[in-house]
Amino acid sequence: MSRETKSSSDGSPPEPKSLLGLESEGRPELITVEAEPEIVSPRVTRASLPPVAFGAPPRAVLGCIQIPTDFVLDREGPKLIEGVPGVELRLQKLSMDSDAIAADTFERAAGSLGAAAAVLRPPERCTAVGLACTSMAFTLGGARVDAELRRACPAAATTDMARAQVAALRALGARRVALLTPYVEALAAANARTLEAEAGVAVRARATMGLEVDAQTTAVPPACIAAWARAVDVCDADVVVVGCSAL
């Protein structure tokens, strides 16, 4: 069996290692090899390499907890964040036992919010964590969403899409709105009540598509959304609210 001799980097004799090898006949043979310096590639040692450098951390890290079939935020979220320097977006799906857009689905999935947020490690890296599902948010309520998310990310600010709707309407100074949603009627009515109670607006008109699963909602193209928004608009509405993060 061949043996190759190598010198150590400082010229001193290398320390031998003993390994159990096999001769061509299959009989065991004790062979000796030399200890090598820390080599990255031929003729390159760690001592010849520059130190490892780290870039500046982002000024904000936003964690978004999504329902499993939210494909829209997967596509559009990173494009939005690219225009905000120094901000990093992290997406994480939560576990749900059904794709039905319904209050009982969201109630059963509430306990999964914290588990999904816990995947965003390390937790102290996240500046803010939010639930990126409007209907789940107004079904559970902000206090419950916050409690679940803070179990995993106690130092992060917490929010959700329902509160984002309210904040947007307040920023616009809207008092009267037209509301477009993709939901079944029970959830559409709950969305209208949430806006009236928390944003202090009057819902002058509303229409809903009656879609029962979110895979349908994410498949509605922009042209269709725009056509429905124009159809629900009324002259005494300040703003048309397009509900649901999938739209």
Side-chain angles (χ1 to χ4, degrees), residues 67-157:
I67 62 174
T69 50
D70 180 1
F71 310 127
V72 173
L73 189 61
D74 292 342
R75 298 191 305 267
E76 297 183 356
K79 295 178 182 178
L80 291 170
I81 293 300
E82 283 177 3
V84 187
V87 176
E88 175 182 295
L89 178 67
R90 302 187 66 188
L91 302 175
Q92 179 61 42
K93 309 287 188 181
L94 61 86
S95 176
M96 296 176 69
D97 62 11
S98 172
D99 292 339
I101 309 172
D104 59 340
T105 302
F106 300 142
E107 288 288 347
R108 293 193 304 273
S112 298
L113 284 172
V119 180
L120 300 173
R121 300 192 61 82
E124 62 272 12
R125 182 177 174 83
C126 285
T127 311
V129 181
L131 171 59
C133 176
T134 312
S135 53
M136 185 174 184
F138 64 66
T139 297
L140 300 181
R144 191 171 176 191
V145 170
D146 288 347
E148 293 292 338
L149 296 178
R150 285 174 182 159
R151 288 195 296 110
C153 302

